[in-house]
Amino acid sequence: MEKQAMLTPGTLLRGGAYRVERALSSGGFGNTYVVTNLNFDVVCAMKEFFMKGINLRDGNTVTVSVPDNRPSFDAQRDKFKKEAQRLWKLQNDHIVKVHDLFEENGTVYYVMDFIDGESLGERLKRLGRPLTEDELLPLLRQALDALESVHRQQIWHLDIKPANMMVNRQEQLYLIDFGASKQLHTSDGHSVATSSAMAFTPGYAPLEQTDQNFRLFGPWTDLYALGASVFKLLTDQTPPSASEIIAMGGQLTFPTPLSPRMQQLIAWMMKPAYTQRPQSAAEVRAFLDKPVAADDDDETRVVSKPEPADEETIVSAIHPQPSTPRPSTPKPSTPKTAPKVEEKQTLTADEIFADGESKKPWPMIIGGAVFVLLLVVGGIVALSGGSSSPDETPSVKETVEQKMNEVKRVEDMEFISNLGEKGTYTGPIDDSGKPHGVGRAVFDSSTYDGPFEHGAMHGTNVTFTYKNGSSFKGEMHKDHFLKGRYNAGDGSYFEGTFDAKGQPEHGMWYDPNGNPLETM
């Protein structure tokens, strides 16, 4: 039985409404064709859901290679339909307009405007040289306008690169291929929980994406990819990965001369730490709108990397990963100086004895101290005939307080969590200088109040509050939510347990009035 990957030219779909003219492209999640709408004699583009490595084709029918892949295919097919529905709702001059959606041949198709032009990746190859900054800037502003519209709907593109930016003959730019996009919340505000596949293109994906940490996704994720695209378009070299940038001491270098202002913009957008990148398209636009200051003449160089034949999106299967909302976070302030460690600060009894799971030694130490003290006091009383002055003999309470005062505490210590979030910490520390005990960590986007265990946010009765109004109360296990209540910013909330990556797993979502929405 003959099997092929693409529909053949001349194939009719939707009861003869569309005729396939030619194949246009093929990616990890679908095939794109040029088709003619025979009812109106209009050329359109049509996308077909087709997963590489999972789907095969018998004639025109799309099949699943093995039964075990059926759940993944069904889940991703539903996401493909939602992608089309979201694009249909988006009204922006730089996002292709969707006109039709239908199921046929065992899969799903949607029809959209055909862009008579080329991708920016194709333009680089055609020109045989990098774009100039003057050529790039109008296109960059259009891309920012599109992203602002997308992000307003809590949608992240997650595969921005020159190949996914089309330009027509009038130099109007369009973002295309939202196949990797994830909408983190439904229209009623609660998280979407489905099996998923993480797609990314090497060189254009930040750490939170390559690590598949959905909880950290946000506008800054797409802005990293846009910065990497600008790097590619202005140098015609593959952007270094985030791990390579870290290996270079966090300093991005450029293989061709660029203005200091453009170097500054790209380096800002490609910061490995997401909190240090621009947090919205509006921030990048504001940077571009600022008057040009006197430029630094220093130039940097790096050895060119060998170019791959094509930039290909990598798809890897992962477990269900619904996303926890993340607020926009401002750029961090100038790092603080080394914290001042204070030897004589008083802890409350709650701070000493909180979170029995932390296995803190203080109950044993204080108990031993009290026992020895009682023996000493008893001996003194016996020798003195049973009388002693408060000024001469310390009470048990005073001795316990003295022991408490010996715990090392810090104020506003610079702190980086195990998730890579930068902030400050106030509270007790262990012998290695890591937060240990009940304290507070203030990050750019959130504040944590609760117990720490050797640098990890870990224990019961914790509170996480975000600047957008959402919060979590409950129990954490090594920096991740374990069980409790997550309150979304719109009033809806989830109660239950969370998986190994801190994502909602078993429980119930409720609307702001307490009515059940979804069982997980």
Side-chain angles (χ1 to χ4, degrees):
M1 180 164 38
E2 182 183 1
K3 294 180 174 63
Q4 77 249 11
M6 307 283 285
L7 292 171
T8 58
T11 300
L12 297 178
L13 296 167
R14 195 117 163 102
Y18 301 103
R19 182 180 66 217
V20 175
E21 303 298 342
R22 60 186 172 89
L24 195 59
S25 64
S26 179
F29 290 93
N31 303 318
T32 306
Y33 306 88
V34 177
V35 300
T36 298
N37 183 328
L38 297 176
N39 291 326
F40 298 101
D41 193 26
V42 175
V43 176
C44 303
M46 182 180 70
K47 192 166 181 180
E48 174 190 50
F49 180 65
F50 191 97
M51 295 180 70
K52 281 185 177 180
I54 288 183
N55 289 135
L56 301 172
R57 193 188 304 276
D58 289 336
N60 291 336
T61 302
V62 173
T63 63
V64 177
S65 57
V66 294
D68 287 348
N69 286 330
R70 171 59 65 176
S72 177
F73 171 78
D74 290 343
Q76 290 302 318
R77 181 185 58 191
D78 289 342
K79 292 182 73 67
F80 182 87
K81 291 171 63 176
K82 291 177 181 178
E83 170 195 334
Q85 292 163 351
R86 295 197 303 269
L87 288 174
W88 184 82
K89 295 177 182 178
L90 289 174
Q91 301 293 327
N92 188 278
D93 291 339
H94 305 292
I95 300 173
V96 291
K97 184 65 178 174
V98 172
H99 299 286
D100 198 1
L101 172 67
F102 61 95
E103 297 189 41
E104 195 168 335
N105 296 332
T107 189
V108 182
Y109 300 86
Y110 67 80
V111 180
M112 53 191 166
D113 289 335
F114 173 70
I115 303 170
D116 185 13
E118 62 185 354
S119 73
L120 291 181
E122 293 169 335
R123 176 167 293 189
L124 273 182
K125 294 179 180 178
R126 177 176 61 80
L127 292 176
R129 63 165 176 82
L131 272 62
T132 67
E133 293 184 27
D134 288 341
E135 291 171 333
L136 174 77
L137 282 171
L139 301 174
L140 176 58
R141 289 182 178 278
Q142 294 180 64
L144 291 170
D145 184 71
L147 279 181
E148 196 161 31
S149 179
V150 171
H151 293 164
R152 195 176 297 121
Q153 302 298 321
Q154 291 288 295
I155 302 170
W156 324 132
H157 187 284
L158 301 183
D159 201 18
I160 292 176
K161 55 188 176 184
N164 285 340
M165 292 186 278
M166 295 288 295
V167 179
N168 66 13
R169 297 181 184 276
Q170 290 74 43
E171 287 297 291
Q172 183 168 350
L173 180 140
Y174 296 86
L175 282 186
I176 65 168
D177 197 354
F178 282 71
S181 68
K182 302 288 183 291
Q183 185 176 24
L184 302 188
H185 304 91
T186 60
S187 58
D188 53 17
H190 61 279
S191 295
V192 177
T194 58
S195 296
S196 185
M198 170 50 59
F200 64 89
T201 301
Y204 298 88
L207 288 175
E208 68 266 23
Q209 190 171 356
T210 57
D211 288 347
Q212 302 174 358
N213 194 341
F214 283 17
R215 190 168 68 91
L216 300 184
F217 284 8
W220 46 85
T221 306
D222 282 342
L223 292 173
Y224 180 100
L226 183 60
S229 298
V230 172
F231 181 99
K232 169 69 174 179
L233 293 169
L234 292 179
T235 66
D236 201 13
Q237 299 292 323
T238 299
S241 67
S243 59
E244 288 175 315
I245 297 174
I246 293 173
M248 293 186 290
Q251 299 299 315
L252 185 64
T253 54
F254 301 86
T256 56
L258 298 178
S259 69
R261 185 165 178 259
M262 186 57 69
Q263 291 185 32
Q264 182 183 358
L265 175 61
I266 297 172
W268 180 29
M269 296 176 75
M270 292 185 69
K271 288 285 187 182
Y274 76 93
T275 57
Q276 296 181 8
R277 296 176 219 144
Q279 301 296 294
S280 67
E283 285 190 27
V284 179
R285 186 183 300 107
F287 178 91
L288 294 174
D289 290 340
K290 285 193 307 184
V292 180
D295 287 337
D296 190 345
D297 292 331
D298 292 342
E299 294 180 357
T300 52
R301 297 287 185 270
V302 69
V303 177
S304 299
K305 296 171 58 181
E307 285 296 296
D310 291 294
E311 293 160 348
E312 184 176 353
T313 300
I314 294 176
V315 182
S316 59
I318 61 173
H319 296 294
Q321 286 294 298
S323 298
T324 303
R326 299 291 298 177
S328 293
T329 53
K331 291 177 290 183
S333 58
T334 303
K336 293 181 171 59
T337 56
K340 180 181 178 182
V341 178
E342 298 181 2
E343 297 286 339
K344 299 291 184 179
Q345 289 288 329
T346 300
L347 291 179
T348 66
D350 288 340
E351 291 175 315
I352 291 295
F353 296 103
D355 187 15
E357 296 179 353
S358 299
K359 301 179 181 178
K360 298 180 179 61
W362 276 119
M364 183 181 298
I365 292 173
I366 295 174
V370 171
F371 178 74
V372 172
L373 178 64
L374 289 174
L375 291 178
V376 173
V377 171
I380 294 174
V381 170
L383 292 174
S384 62
S387 65
S388 65
S389 168
D391 295 333
E392 297 173 356
T393 306
S395 67
V396 172
K397 178 180 178 181
E398 290 171 341
T399 304
V400 171
E401 289 179 349
Q402 181 180 359
K403 199 67 182 177
M404 287 179 178
N405 290 341
E406 295 178 7
V407 177
K408 292 182 179 180
R409 285 178 57 89
V410 293
E411 298 288 336
D412 293 331
M413 177 182 77
E414 186 174 297
F415 171 61
I416 301 178
S417 75
N418 295 325
L419 298 177
E421 296 177 290
K422 290 187 177 181
T424 59
Y425 169 76
T426 297
I429 58 175
D430 60 17
D431 291 339
S432 63
K434 293 181 179 180
H436 189 69
V438 176
R440 164 173 284 202
V442 179
F443 303 105
D444 290 322
S445 62
S446 60
T447 299
Y448 170 85
D449 290 284
F452 288 78
E453 186 173 281
H454 302 298
M457 294 173 279
H458 182 91
T460 59
N461 298 320
V462 312
T463 301
F464 234 119
T465 55
Y466 297 92
K467 289 185 178 179
N468 69 343
S470 59
S471 63
F472 170 80
K473 291 184 178 181
E475 182 176 351
M476 290 192 71
H477 178 77
K478 296 182 179 179
D479 298 305
H480 292 295
F481 302 153
L482 183 62
K483 61 182 177 181
R485 173 167 170 165
Y486 176 82
N487 297 286
D490 64 350
S492 61
Y493 59 94
F494 170 82
E495 287 186 342
T497 61
F498 298 75
D499 64 18
K501 291 189 175 182
Q503 305 299 318
E505 185 174 35
H506 299 299
M508 177 71 73
W509 274 99
Y510 299 87
D511 68 16
N513 297 319
N515 300 312
L517 289 172
E518 178 184 6
T519 301
M520 299 179 62

